[in-house]
Amino acid sequence: MRTHYCGELNKDNINQTVEICGWVNRRRDHGSVIFLDMRDKRGIAQVVINPDNADFSLAETIRNEFVLKITGTVIARGEGLTNPKLSTGEIEIKAQNIEILNTSKPIPFQIDATDTSEEVRLRYRYLDLRGDAMQNRLRLRSQVTRYMREFMDEHDFLDIETPFLTKATPEGARDYLVPSRAHPGEFFTLPQSPQLFKQLLMMSGFERYYQIVKCFRDEDLRADRQPEFTQFDVETSFMSENEIMTMMEKMTRGLFKSVINVDLDDNFPTITYVDAMEKYGLDHPDMRISMQIVSMDKLMQDVDFKVFSGPANDDDSRVAALKVPGGASISRKNIDKYTKYVSIYGAKGLAYIKLNEDGPTSPILKFLSDEMTAKVIEMTGAKTGDIIFFGADKTKIVNEALGNLREQLAKDLDLFDKQWAPIWMVDFPMFGAGDDGSLNAIHHPFTAPSVDTKILEQTATTALSRAYDLVINGSEVGGGSIRIHQVKMQKMVLKLLGISDQEAQDKFGFLLDALEYGCPPHGGMAFGLDRLVMIMTGANSIRDVIAFPKTQTAACLLTNAPGSVPRKLLRELSIQVSLAEKD
């Protein structure tokens, strides 16, 4: 139907007769002449319709988003009429024939409008996707997956699909259940990841596997979470964690250079979990920010200020300080705003010391001696014009409060030192402790510990895992580990997690059996593709890099999913629904 795309026309096409197809991006009626900006996937070209054209009266009926086929001659724009903002800005098409392929109702918002609410954008997603922003993001996403596939193919990895209808595995979130008509009262689950199947592929001798795969988690949502998301999944045999990290680092570096022309560091730095929590409060620190959290426990143990001395003398708590360069200019109103912000993470307040020209000022100075205040300033490296914020509470609360405050302050005060900052997180604890004293897996129960079975049993609460995460600009874009490849170790880990032998056999009997048939050492990594593309495009939410995303309530405004189903179908599935009456 077309000879050229709109956005590919230029002065080399002058005097050529062309046929273009697309949408009317904008119509301008100047009375004696009508201009149409025609849009397709390659860009925009201006079409001019003169009164002597037989289709002039037809052009008067055309409105935005009509779908047209136009035949015309490419001509040069008049002097002073070129548009340097368009690649086609030196030419226009003098229309000879116009064919309306389809009309359009008045659209609920202007394509590419920046003030359209997300609710409206998602309700009319097919219109939102016509805009440049979404078109460019999804094209970049396609370039990302193409590069990943090419890289893996070059490194002898096989693209192998794994099942969507499977059995529940402990991945840390709720599963989506799928009822089985053939097995009344029983359910499949949608996979939170292909974890066990890719390990079974290693046991099957394929050695190198990858997959770009949908995963599902029924959990509370945030800007970077969706109930269904896409994972770039990798598993390989006979490689150490350093070898896997080196390969994935090479892929990431090449990906950024190829797709967005960004040169990442030649060697990504590495930080241990302990150091990250001590200095940055989070296990996914934004390393574009030079600010560090400084521990004050020893200094504050004997101070006559119980808000500080209490946590300083408690093994499960900490007192820490965060120096903010230039922060003395922060108003009291904004300090109150940051105090409210850290309360999200459980902090009861936000003490501070301002270093003004006439010396330090703060409501807490009356509780600190001049010597103590001077020591705080020395330890934090604070200077005139800075502010020092304090956290004093349970260690988890202080870390989360100051860690997130650090990143919020960097955004508000533009305290970023660089544009891109990848870093590897290593030496994670093998287990975390639940409120009831039970152990839970920090990553998942199939991650290998850094010690043997006997030592693990004796040191479960302090043992480290062979896991690693890749963090870029404060977002965890990928994580992986060396897996357990010996049945004795796997049974020990399940035992430490409080899973009985019978439960282990019921849930993971197929895995435990497979481990006894010559399982090779293996490991892998998974990238959150949506989150990675979000970072690369500068989008604020992964919803902006997914064609048809869900809302934060896990609903689709476009299709009104989820929805009810007929009772007849429920009966066929042996399901009875009982909902509490709504107020």
Side-chain angles (χ1 to χ4, degrees):
M1 293 183 69
R2 56 156 67 103
T3 61
H4 296 77
Y5 286 100
C6 297
E8 291 181 341
L9 296 171
N10 55 51
K11 59 185 180 181
D12 292 337
N13 301 108
I14 289 175
N15 296 326
Q16 293 180 11
T17 298
V18 299
E19 295 178 337
I20 61 172
C21 297
W23 289 263
V24 177
N25 195 62
R26 188 181 176 198
R27 174 186 177 277
R28 305 186 303 283
D29 190 342
H30 290 191
S32 59
V33 65
I34 294 175
F35 292 97
L36 301 177
D37 289 342
M38 289 293 295
R39 183 189 74 242
D40 62 20
K41 71 174 188 174
R42 298 287 168 81
I44 291 176
Q46 178 173 282
V47 177
V48 57
I49 304 102
N50 295 316
D52 58 359
N53 189 305
D55 287 333
F56 188 81
S57 59
L58 179 66
E60 290 181 312
T61 69
I62 291 172
R63 296 294 181 265
N64 287 3
E65 299 308 309
F66 275 33
V67 185
L68 309 179
K69 176 182 178 181
I70 294 180
T71 303
T73 303
V74 179
I75 61 175
R77 294 201 191 191
E79 186 176 350
L81 299 178
T82 60
N83 185 350
K85 295 181 180 179
L86 292 178
S87 61
T88 60
E90 295 181 300
I91 59 94
E92 60 189 8
I93 301 170
K94 184 178 180 181
Q96 298 168 359
N97 180 263
I98 302 173
E99 181 182 353
I100 297 179
L101 302 176
N102 213 338
T103 61
S104 172
K105 294 184 353 182
I107 56 177
F109 59 92
Q110 188 60 41
I111 304 299
D112 275 331
T114 58
D115 59 348
T116 306
S117 71
E118 185 178 51
E119 181 178 356
V120 172
R121 288 176 54 212
L122 294 181
R123 167 67 181 83
Y124 298 94
R125 190 60 161 183
Y126 44 86
L127 295 179
D128 187 45
L129 290 174
R130 294 181 188 178
D132 283 345
M134 287 304 305
Q135 289 269 322
N136 291 335
R137 289 173 189 146
L138 292 184
R139 286 197 182 97
L140 185 143
R141 183 185 177 113
S142 178
Q143 294 171 18
V144 168
T145 56
R146 182 171 64 247
Y147 181 91
M148 288 175 163
R149 291 186 189 280
E150 290 174 351
F151 182 92
M152 302 311 288
D153 291 344
E154 289 172 2
H155 288 78
D156 199 27
F157 282 75
L158 288 178
D159 182 357
I160 305 176
E161 294 180 347
T162 53
F164 276 1
L165 297 177
T166 183
K167 195 173 183 179
T169 59
E171 294 278 354
R174 290 183 293 272
D175 292 307
Y176 277 100
L177 302 179
V178 180
S180 170
R181 184 184 59 82
H183 301 275
E186 297 185 348
F187 296 82
F188 294 104
T189 63
L190 298 180
Q192 296 186 35
S193 83
Q195 182 61 46
L196 295 186
F197 286 106
K198 66 180 181 177
Q199 289 189 241
L200 291 169
L201 286 171
M202 296 303 100
M203 302 173 200
S204 303
F206 286 99
E207 294 196 22
R208 293 192 174 193
Y209 140 98
Y210 81 95
Q211 184 181 190
I212 296 175
V213 59
K214 280 286 188 184
C215 301
F216 307 86
R217 293 183 182 178
D218 186 9
E219 60 183 346
D220 296 333
L221 308 180
R222 299 195 298 268
D224 59 348
R225 294 285 175 89
Q226 281 280 290
E228 54 178 322
F229 57 96
T230 306
Q231 194 162 285
F232 171 60
D233 206 51
V234 178
E235 198 78 5
T236 180
S237 299
F238 306 113
M239 291 182 72
S240 68
E241 49 265 65
N242 288 334
E243 289 172 319
I244 295 173
M245 290 164 65
T246 297
M247 178 179 286
M248 293 298 95
E249 182 176 316
K250 180 181 179 182
M251 187 209 69
T252 304
R253 193 180 298 109
L255 173 66
F256 272 70
K257 181 62 178 177
S258 174
V259 176
I260 59 175
N261 196 30
V262 166
D263 292 305
L264 297 179
D265 296 340
D266 288 340
N267 292 291
F268 296 176
T270 299
I271 188 171
T272 66
Y273 174 86
V274 170
D275 283 348
M277 300 304 289
E278 179 79 6
K279 297 176 181 178
Y280 306 108
L282 304 173
D283 61 3
H284 49 86
D286 192 334
M287 302 305 291
R288 296 174 298 169
I289 310 165
S290 61
M291 289 187 292
Q292 293 187 5
I293 297 169
V294 179
S295 290
M296 296 278 163
D297 293 323
K298 291 184 179 179
L299 182 65
M300 298 297 176
Q301 284 178 345
D302 298 323
V303 71
D304 291 331
F305 186 34
K306 291 185 178 179
V307 172
F308 283 177
S309 61
N313 287 283
D314 181 357
D315 291 339
D316 295 327
S317 302
R318 79 180 294 201
V319 181
L322 177 69
K323 177 200 74 174
V324 184
S329 61
I330 299 174
S331 66
R332 181 54 195 258
K333 178 180 178 181
N334 282 331
I335 289 177
D336 290 342
K337 181 186 74 173
Y338 291 126
T339 302
K340 184 176 181 180
Y341 175 74
V342 298
S343 70
I344 297 172
Y345 305 100
K348 300 179 182 67
L350 187 62
Y352 67 90
I353 296 176
K354 278 189 177 184
L355 300 184
N356 298 317
E357 291 289 345
D358 55 354
T361 60
S362 169
I364 69 169
L365 286 183
K366 59 187 176 184
F367 301 110
L368 305 178
S369 65
D370 291 344
E371 181 182 359
M372 181 77 68
T373 302
K375 189 65 176 176
V376 168
I377 294 172
E378 177 188 347
M379 291 176 66
T380 58
K383 300 177 181 177
T384 299
D386 297 343
I387 191 172
I388 304 169
F389 286 114
F390 295 88
D393 211 310
K394 293 296 182 182
T395 300
K396 183 177 184 293
I397 293 175
V398 173
N399 287 345
E400 290 187 355
L402 291 186
N404 285 284
L405 177 65
R406 169 181 174 270
E407 298 191 356
Q408 186 61 49
L409 285 164
K411 294 175 185 176
D412 294 345
L413 304 178
D414 192 19
L415 299 177
F416 297 105
D417 295 336
K418 58 184 74 172
Q419 186 175 3
W420 298 99
I423 189 168
W424 286 104
M425 293 284 304
V426 297
D427 290 347
F428 287 89
M430 184 69 185
F431 302 108
D435 294 336
D436 58 358
S438 64
L439 297 180
N440 54 73
I442 293 293
H443 280 78
H444 54 63
F446 318 109
T447 298
S450 59
V451 295
D452 62 29
T453 309
K454 183 177 180 180
I455 295 177
L456 178 66
E457 187 174 22
Q458 296 170 348
T459 63
T461 57
T462 58
L464 302 180
S465 68
R466 297 176 67 183
Y468 38 85
D469 286 353
L470 178 58
V471 177
I472 300 179
N473 293 1
S475 289
E476 178 201 328
V477 298
S481 68
I482 299 300
R483 322 301 187 188
I484 297 170
H485 72 283
Q486 295 173 327
V487 70
K488 184 179 179 182
M489 176 62 79
Q490 186 63 77
K491 287 182 176 180
M492 174 57 69
V493 169
L494 295 176
K495 175 185 174 182
L496 292 171
L497 290 172
I499 298 174
S500 68
D501 290 344
Q502 185 59 51
E503 184 182 2
Q505 191 62 39
D506 291 342
K507 289 184 175 180
F508 313 113
F510 63 96
L511 174 69
L512 297 175
D513 289 344
L515 288 172
E516 297 193 90
Y517 286 93
C519 176
H522 61 282
M525 187 165 178
F527 287 78
L529 183 63
D530 311 302
R531 191 179 299 177
L532 182 61
V533 175
M534 178 185 74
I535 293 170
M536 295 177 73
T537 60
N540 295 319
S541 164
I542 64 171
R543 292 189 293 277
D544 287 333
V545 297
I546 298 173
F548 301 103
K550 305 295 188 292
T551 66
Q552 289 194 13
T553 59
C556 176
L557 298 180
L558 175 63
T559 63
N560 287 324
S564 59
V565 298
R567 290 185 178 273
K568 178 182 177 182
L569 178 58
L570 293 177
R571 286 195 297 268
E572 290 178 357
L573 295 171
S574 303
I575 292 176
Q576 182 176 348
V577 176
S578 177
L579 298 176
E581 292 187 10
K582 296 182 179 180
D583 293 334

